[in-house]
Amino acid sequence: MTVSGFTFNAFSENTYLLHDTTGECAIIDPGCYDKAEQQALQAFIADQNLRVVLLLNTHCHIDHVFGNQFVLDTYQVPFLIHEADLGTLRAVPAYAPSYGFPHYQPAEPTGFLTPGEPVRFGNTELEVRFTPGHAPGHVVFYHEPTQTVIGGDVLFQNSIGRTDLPGGDHATLLTSIRDQLFTLPDAVTVYPGHGPATTIGAERRTNPFLR
């Protein structure tokens, strides 16, 4: 499995494309808001001869969902979130204009993720781990063969996700990190929703929020 990333929108959000040798591709947290960002994503997919088969959200804050409807309109694929974040997703249209995003297009999921039940595309199987605290329905996606986690806004390089938004809880977030991420091997690479990739081992050793 290969991880390809883009940084989109005013929040510098990381959008990820996961793809394997079959050419099938899953898009996670499409943050593309304007036409140029949408075209950049679409051009990469075409240039790499990828076939998009799945849309996933780690969670549904505004910066991670800008491009959901664009992906659905363009590729007509299943769209999955954790059911506990449905309220988070449906709240976005009410506050998007006040954040300066009047053209946000809301999208509804076609189904829900269940922690412990894998998500599959091509020859790839992702483990879904439930990691609330930053958002009530936050999940991460773990690919054991490549020691990779698509982590959303749970764990960052020397930082953690904010917990002052609706549905956030600091103690719950710390528990999620310790139970669902720090139980993984040190060599696992974490691709977060913002900023550079890190590893479980590095954050276990140096993250000031987790000592």
Side-chain angles (χ1 to χ4, degrees):
M1 184 191 77
T2 299
V3 179
S4 300
F6 293 83
T7 300
F8 287 140
N9 69 58
F11 298 95
S12 296
E13 182 268 351
N14 293 330
T15 294
Y16 296 105
L17 280 67
L18 310 185
H19 42 105
D20 63 22
T21 55
T22 68
E24 291 196 354
C25 170
I27 299 177
I28 301 182
D29 293 353
C32 44
Y33 177 71
D34 62 30
K35 184 64 70 174
E37 292 176 341
Q38 293 170 355
Q39 289 175 343
L41 183 70
Q42 196 170 8
F44 178 85
I45 290 166
D47 289 346
Q48 298 296 313
N49 294 313
L50 301 178
R51 183 163 65 91
V52 179
V53 297
L54 191 60
L55 170 60
L56 305 170
N57 286 169
T58 60
H59 67 295
C60 298
H61 288 146
I62 185 171
D63 49 330
H64 291 254
V65 304
F66 279 131
N68 281 342
Q69 191 58 48
F70 168 74
V71 170
L72 292 178
D73 288 342
T74 305
Y75 301 107
Q76 295 84 48
V77 294
F79 167 33
L80 307 178
I81 68 171
H82 191 285
E83 189 169 11
D85 234 40
L86 187 58
T88 307
L89 179 65
R90 289 177 172 171
V92 174
Y95 68 81
S98 66
Y99 273 54
F101 301 98
H103 305 299
Y104 169 70
Q105 293 183 299
E108 282 288 306
T110 61
F112 297 110
L113 299 161
T114 301
E117 292 186 8
V119 172
R120 299 182 178 90
F121 64 93
N123 294 324
T124 300
E125 181 174 293
L126 303 174
E127 179 185 345
V128 180
R129 292 188 167 216
F130 185 47
T131 52
H134 174 70
H138 202 298
V139 297
V140 301
F141 301 99
Y142 176 48
H143 186 243
E144 191 275 334
T146 58
Q147 303 250 290
T148 298
V149 167
I150 307 300
D153 290 358
V154 173
L155 181 67
F156 301 116
Q157 185 180 70
N158 290 320
S159 190
I160 59 174
R162 60 188 294 180
T163 56
D164 58 339
L165 298 172
D169 184 83
H170 186 75
T172 300
L173 180 64
L174 295 182
T175 298
S176 292
I177 293 170
R178 293 189 173 113
D179 291 353
Q180 299 298 325
L181 292 177
F182 278 9
T183 52
L184 298 173
D186 282 355
V188 169
T189 298
V190 179
Y191 290 92
H194 305 270
T198 185
T199 66
I200 294 295
E203 298 315 308
R204 200 195 312 273
R205 291 188 302 272
T206 67
N207 193 304
F209 295 91
L210 294 157
R211 294 180 178 172

